[in-house]
Amino acid sequence: MEEPTKKRKILDVRQSVPFCSQTALAAICKNIAEHGLPDKHSRRDIWQETEELLHNSSMQKYGSLFLTAEAETVKGGQQKLLFVNFLSLLAGVFHAAGPFGMWLLDFHERHPSSYESPWDAVIYADEIHPGNQLSSSSRKSWCVYISFLQYKSLLSREDFWYCLCIKRSAEVGELKAGMSQVMRLILESLFGTRVPETGVLLSSPAGQLRLHFRLHMLLQDGAAHKAVFSNRQDTGCKPCPLCSNIFQLKDSENNNNVWTQFLKRSDCIVASDNELMASWERLREASSGPSAVFEQRQKAAGMTWSAHALLSSKTLQELNICRPSTLYCHDYMHCLVSHGVLNEMAFLVLEDLTENGLLSKDWAMLRQWLEFWNLPHAHASFKLDVLFTSKAVASYRKAGSIKLGASEMLTLCKPLQFFLQSNFLSNGLQEATCRAFIAWADVLDYAHSIQGLQNPSPPRFLHLVEQALQATALAGFSEMMRPKHHWPLHLPDCLQRWQQLPSCWPLERKHKIPRKYGTLQFGLEAYNKAVMTGVTQEHVGKLLKDEELFMSSSHLVSKTALGKPLESLLKANNWFLPGMEASATCRLESGMLCKSGDILFYRNASTSSTAGFPWACGSLKHCISVAGMELAVVLNFLFERERPGTHATVWRSLPDRLQLVRLEDLLQPATYSFGNDGCVTCLLPAPLSAAR
């Protein structure tokens, strides 16, 4: 008699196959259990299916999906530059008539493009560092992405940005003009044929359209702008590449911080495209002269001239793409919260409070205060108080800045702002110091709200920026000002020009994909092609199959049958209907995920119960769906009061105030704190705070 077969353990599988994370292995096993083992599953089969996906005839309508160009190296040789043929990518994915094709047909019908009124392309370039950042820089790479400004709020979703190029930084450094030549070759290939101008024909079994577009924005941080536009910024005499009247001469007689002299937009004279191109042309003429004189002229102009740079392209000049002033858009995320202004201002303010005896040296009062605040469940893994352990505070003091990533600083900003308002400013303590940080927090709040505002106001935005610069000077922090303090003066101009400021948080999330493939790619010879192939096939797969990606309205995520407790609750309130489904998670119109237990703001039919406050507030209990209608079961809070001069409101939670709310009326989850009196203090999130 045979012994019964032992059940196989998943640990046995993990020990017998090449390494992958526990999460990845669990997901693989779950997928196989639900959908079965693929008929073909060898490594060669994976390669063949990738080739079939990316190199079929529909993906080559405007040429091969991957193009190469010859780039000139510093040593006089040539280096191949591999990049994606964006026109073929669009045509191929559209032809499949999947979710992307159907969505684009509908979207283009509502927002048509034409020769006279083309769509506006936006390009973003940045460096990423796959693998262990402490051990090697060999995988450090430049990434270039493209999208369209017409997408508006959809630009906050990473899958609406398309990867054009990934190239190792070490190879870019070998090129004449570096990243500027890379951008030049990509733009010459994309726009040089004038096909985007005359219209890209996209056809599928579901219909066809002709998409016209032009380059209208280069969105980058300071380092990328410096590399792409060949400007020297603070290493030259013109630390701001846009302002023609700001000069910084490093001599013994002029040691003042130049930024303290330009605290208003009216103080700045912004150079036009023609003026900057004329300066570039004068450098070209001087390049044949004595090298010492030429270097002095480059330093004075704040530019590094090269015949291979972006601005030297005759093709792009003829196409009117060489517009170094009107294409230039600062990335407010890097400017304000990625080793930015708010990181430094937070440190300066907290240190000032420490020096005046209002905070202990380890900032224990702040750490204890942050323990009382709760974040939305989407940020459940992030704890505010752990940012200010004794070890962390010591590292901040050593760096002279709050060393946090952009998302961490954004999350911290409102609680820290309220901490200063409620504990010090309201008591008349260190008012000038506290107002400096609060003013910059208001700048960030407005910038982060722009995508969600119906009519964002450039004058109001400029007023907030100038107010923040004045507050910084009044607090005695003038000498700490850096170029990042000046850049926000140009953001209202960008808002005026484009009526929006795209956020770069989705692009930081987008970077996770090339990082993932780059970390696992050990052969550097085929690195660029392997990573670009992996990134492109994954994105194409999502565009062809992920229907939820193109749902712009609020909707439930992962619906299931009703549980017994929820069914009983619905019946007790006479809300139950046969066929109901439920979910613990919903995605709001803004793109935010909201989960059961979150406290959120939502639209209210009447403001009488909130004393004129425009929104209601409550705790999300359940999300339900029936007959095509999606609703939220919310425990409605009783409005108590607003905290004057802050973004805080106080509410009272009562157990018998359950109500049904349409899912589209849910606005934003809030950061909140329960008080000893049973009240809940909620911090109004962007864009509600900017609209208030």
Side-chain angles (χ1 to χ4, degrees):
M1 183 176 177
E2 294 183 2
E3 293 185 10
T5 304
K6 292 183 178 179
K7 289 186 177 180
R8 194 178 183 195
K9 295 181 179 180
I10 193 169
L11 187 59
D12 295 334
V13 178
R14 193 178 193 210
Q15 292 170 346
S16 60
V17 300
F19 172 79
C20 65
S21 70
Q22 297 178 50
T23 302
L25 181 58
I28 292 169
C29 292
K30 181 180 178 181
N31 185 280
I32 292 173
E34 292 178 355
H35 305 288
L37 187 69
D39 294 334
K40 297 180 179 180
H41 47 265
S42 70
R43 180 176 178 177
R44 181 173 179 79
D45 293 329
I46 296 173
W47 175 81
Q48 285 182 334
E49 290 188 10
T50 301
E51 288 292 301
E52 291 169 5
L53 175 67
L54 299 183
H55 299 289
N56 61 71
S57 58
S58 65
M59 297 290 282
Q60 299 184 20
K61 183 172 181 179
Y62 289 94
S64 175
L65 181 62
F66 293 106
L67 300 175
T68 57
E70 297 293 338
E72 298 289 330
T73 66
V74 175
K75 294 182 178 180
Q78 290 189 325
Q79 185 186 111
K80 289 189 180 298
L81 172 67
L82 182 72
F83 54 94
V84 171
N85 183 341
F86 183 53
L87 305 185
S88 288
L89 177 67
L90 281 178
V93 179
F94 185 87
H95 181 267
F100 173 78
M102 302 304 293
W103 170 82
L104 189 59
L105 266 176
D106 176 67
F107 189 84
H108 191 266
E109 185 176 348
R110 290 183 284 115
H111 307 277
S113 67
S114 65
Y115 183 82
E116 295 79 15
S117 181
W119 277 12
D120 301 317
V122 49
I123 286 182
Y124 178 82
D126 195 13
E127 269 191 302
I128 65 168
H129 198 156
N132 187 345
Q133 299 186 27
L134 299 178
S135 65
S136 172
S137 61
S138 60
R139 295 194 188 102
K140 193 174 183 181
S141 306
W142 277 94
C143 294
V144 182
Y145 305 102
I146 188 171
S147 191
F148 298 106
L149 293 178
Q150 278 67 23
Y151 287 176
K152 294 190 176 178
S153 62
L154 293 174
L155 291 174
S156 64
R157 304 185 188 183
E158 60 268 28
D159 289 307
F160 285 87
W161 290 85
Y162 313 94
C163 183
L164 289 181
C165 181
I166 299 169
K167 189 167 182 64
R168 290 197 305 118
S169 299
E171 295 177 345
V172 173
E174 296 172 357
L175 303 179
K176 292 180 179 179
M179 191 60 197
S180 190
Q181 185 181 174
V182 172
M183 188 66 77
R184 170 184 175 168
L185 293 173
I186 293 173
L187 294 182
E188 285 179 343
S189 173
L190 178 55
F191 293 98
T193 61
R194 293 186 178 269
V195 172
E197 181 183 3
T198 57
V200 184
L201 181 62
L202 305 178
S203 60
S204 76
Q208 70 175 31
L209 61 89
R210 189 172 290 277
L211 178 62
H212 303 260
F213 66 91
R214 60 182 175 177
L215 181 62
H216 209 46
M217 178 192 288
L218 278 174
L219 172 69
Q220 300 171 126
D221 64 10
H225 274 309
K226 182 177 180 179
V228 169
F229 283 109
S230 304
N231 55 54
R232 297 194 172 190
Q233 296 183 18
D234 51 352
T235 62
C237 295
K238 286 188 64 180
C240 175
L242 296 181
C243 293
S244 60
N245 63 326
I246 297 182
F247 296 92
Q248 185 163 274
L249 305 177
K250 297 180 180 178
D251 56 43
S252 58
E253 298 178 1
N254 184 18
N255 292 321
N256 293 328
N257 189 330
V258 68
W259 306 115
T260 62
Q261 305 167 38
F262 298 89
L263 302 181
K264 292 186 176 182
R265 172 62 179 81
S266 58
D267 297 332
C268 306
I269 300 175
V270 176
S272 67
D273 292 321
N274 289 337
E275 288 171 333
L276 291 176
M277 289 305 296
S279 180
W280 185 262
E281 180 63 19
R282 287 193 294 271
L283 287 179
R284 184 193 67 78
E285 294 170 355
S287 63
S288 58
S291 58
V293 175
F294 178 53
E295 173 56 28
Q296 285 185 334
R297 291 200 174 192
Q298 288 189 112
K299 190 173 181 180
M303 296 176 173
T304 301
W305 184 86
S306 170
H308 301 276
L310 172 67
L311 297 183
S312 293
S313 171
K314 295 298 182 184
T315 300
L316 298 180
Q317 288 176 19
E318 291 171 1
L319 293 169
N320 196 30
I321 288 178
C322 287
R323 292 179 280 120
S325 181
T326 53
L327 286 178
Y328 209 102
C329 185
H330 284 290
D331 161 22
Y332 79 81
M333 182 199 80
H334 283 89
C335 174
L336 295 175
V337 290
S338 180
H339 306 291
V341 175
L342 279 155
N343 300 72
E344 295 190 1
M345 293 304 300
F347 175 78
L348 292 173
V349 170
L350 293 173
E351 278 294 85
D352 183 78
L353 294 172
T354 303
E355 291 170 4
N356 285 276
L358 299 174
L359 281 180
S360 61
K361 194 172 182 179
D362 61 357
W363 301 346
M365 177 184 174
L366 173 60
R367 182 175 66 254
Q368 293 164 5
W369 191 82
L370 290 173
E371 289 177 359
F372 294 105
W373 290 90
N374 302 280
L375 300 174
H377 281 78
H379 305 292
S381 61
F382 181 62
K383 303 296 182 184
L384 289 171
D385 56 296
V386 301
L387 301 178
F388 293 97
T389 61
S390 298
K391 184 177 180 180
V393 171
S395 71
Y396 302 155
R397 194 163 278 124
K398 183 177 180 180
S401 176
I402 304 295
K403 296 193 304 180
L404 298 178
S407 295
E408 293 173 317
M409 195 65 210
L410 176 67
T411 306
L412 171 67
C413 194
K414 275 193 186 292
L416 180 55
Q417 183 182 21
F418 187 55
F419 171 76
L420 297 175
Q421 289 169 329
S422 57
N423 291 285
F424 304 103
L425 194 59
S426 62
N427 296 312
L429 301 172
Q430 296 302 108
E431 293 186 46
T433 302
C434 293
R435 289 189 194 281
F437 178 84
I438 291 166
W440 281 111
D442 286 339
V443 171
L444 172 64
D445 188 63
Y446 197 85
H448 199 55
S449 299
I450 285 171
Q451 288 287 9
L453 295 175
Q454 290 290 333
N455 296 296
S457 170
R460 182 184 174 189
F461 192 22
L462 178 60
H463 172 72
L464 291 173
V465 173
E466 291 181 343
Q467 195 174 52
L469 288 168
Q470 292 285 353
T472 304
L474 289 173
F477 299 143
S478 298
E479 294 306 312
M480 285 76 168
M481 286 186 179
R482 299 187 298 118
K484 284 191 175 184
H485 289 78
H486 172 76
W487 293 347
L489 277 176
H490 294 288
L491 292 177
D493 288 344
C494 296
L495 178 58
Q496 182 71 51
R497 188 178 304 131
W498 293 296
Q499 293 301 301
Q500 60 176 306
L501 282 180
S503 164
C504 290
W505 271 278
L507 289 155
E508 291 298 311
R509 296 193 295 272
K510 186 79 174 179
H511 284 336
K512 292 180 181 179
I513 309 301
R515 279 198 190 102
K516 174 176 66 178
Y517 286 98
T519 299
L520 299 176
Q521 181 63 33
F522 295 98
L524 296 182
E525 290 184 5
Y527 179 89
N528 298 326
K529 184 176 181 180
V531 176
M532 284 180 61
T533 299
V535 169
T536 305
Q537 63 83 19
E538 181 169 325
H539 193 201
V540 169
K542 290 199 74 172
L543 295 176
L544 294 180
K545 300 173 185 176
D546 191 349
E547 294 184 359
E548 188 196 353
L549 178 63
F550 302 98
M551 297 174 66
S552 57
S553 59
S554 302
H555 58 276
L556 303 190
V557 177
S558 303
K559 290 185 280 190
T560 61
L562 295 183
K564 291 294 183 182
L566 176 55
E567 184 177 329
S568 299
L569 175 68
L570 295 174
K571 287 180 177 178
N573 287 275
N574 294 319
W575 294 337
F576 177 77
L577 289 173
M580 276 186 164
E581 294 180 297
S583 174
T585 307
C586 65
R587 188 177 293 278
L588 306 182
E589 189 175 346
S590 63
M592 287 281 292
L593 280 176
C594 201
K595 298 188 177 183
S596 297
D598 278 340
I599 289 178
L600 46 73
F601 289 93
Y602 57 95
R603 296 185 187 93
N604 196 13
S606 171
T607 58
S608 59
S609 61
T610 55
F613 187 75
W615 304 290
C617 182
S619 174
L620 179 65
K621 296 302 181 183
H622 307 279
C623 297
I624 56 176
S625 171
V626 62
M629 181 181 295
E630 295 184 326
L631 303 166
V633 179
V634 176
L635 179 63
N636 175 250
F637 292 166
L638 181 66
F639 179 78
E640 289 279 329
R641 65 187 184 279
E642 285 189 81
R643 294 288 297 268
T646 73
H647 293 155
T649 51
V650 181
W651 307 77
R652 186 171 297 278
S653 175
L654 300 174
D656 57 347
R657 292 171 60 91
L658 285 176
Q659 64 177 161
L660 288 179
V661 179
R662 295 184 308 170
L663 210 64
E664 58 264 33
D665 286 334
L666 303 184
L667 296 173
Q668 290 284 88
T671 299
Y672 61 94
S673 174
F674 284 99
N676 294 329
D677 57 357
C679 288
V680 187
T681 300
C682 299
L683 302 181
L684 200 60
L688 306 184
S689 49
R692 182 69 176 125

